[in-house]
Amino acid sequence: QVQLVESGGGLVQAGGSLRLSCAASGRTFSSSVMGWFRQAPGKEREFVAAIRAAGVFRYYADSVKGRFTISRENAENAISLQMNNLKPEDTAVYYCAADPRNSGRYYSPTEYNYWGQGTQVTVSS
């Protein structure tokens, strides 16, 4: 079992930055692929970024590549998402998720067994 709690969301102007954090508990965290997803009103949940267990391999959606950075601190059971140069289209609820099976399909929300409650990010124009 993995429990996830996100924090760090808020309201920011376009071009600004936010840092999201996800605190995890559970023995399988350090061996899990961890991901960030987001869901805007009326839209499906979409992949944002993922990081494999050792923290070496990171993956990003094209829409955030070069602006967002995912990182993890296994010793602290935490991951973060640094978001720079935010755009109004980044507005969504952001979710942290864990895939203890390391399925390989890091971009698919169906592969993640555990989810946080979400944190709202709003970017004003």
Side-chain angles (χ1 to χ4, degrees), residues 13 27 31 37 41 49 53 64 77 83 89 95 108 110-111 125:
Q13 288 189 332
R27 291 184 293 178
S31 61
F37 290 79
V64 307
N77 273 19
M83 306 185 295
E89 51 264 42
Y95 297 91
S108 173
T110 61
E111 299 300 319
S125 58

Side-chain angles (χ1 to χ4, degrees), residues 35-50 59-64 67-68 81 83 87-97 105-110 112 115:
W36 286 99
F37 290 79
R38 66 187 181 188
Q39 188 165 19
K43 295 187 176 182
E44 293 187 352
R45 191 166 296 189
E46 65 173 1
F47 169 73
V48 175
Y59 311 94
Y60 298 95
D62 288 343
S63 59
V64 307
R67 300 188 297 123
F68 290 11
L81 185 70
M83 306 185 295
K87 303 176 181 180
E89 51 264 42
D90 294 319
T91 295
V93 177
Y94 283 69
Y95 297 91
C96 172
R105 298 178 70 235
Y106 54 84
Y107 48 85
S108 173
T110 61
Y112 290 78
W115 293 84

Side-chain angles (χ1 to χ4, degrees), residues 21-37:
S21 297
C22 175
S25 61
R27 291 184 293 178
T28 59
F29 169 79
S30 61
S31 61
S32 299
V33 170
M34 298 298 297
W36 286 99
F37 290 79

Side-chain angles (χ1 to χ4, degrees), residues 8-21:
L11 173 64
V12 65
Q13 288 189 332
S17 299
L18 281 174
R19 185 178 183 87
L20 304 184
S21 297

Side-chain angles (χ1 to χ4, degrees), residues 57-78:
F57 296 99
R58 311 178 191 203
Y59 311 94
Y60 298 95
D62 288 343
S63 59
V64 307
K65 202 171 292 183
R67 300 188 297 123
F68 290 11
T69 302
I70 187 171
S71 59
R72 70 187 295 160
E73 291 293 337
N74 285 339
E76 298 180 1
N77 273 19

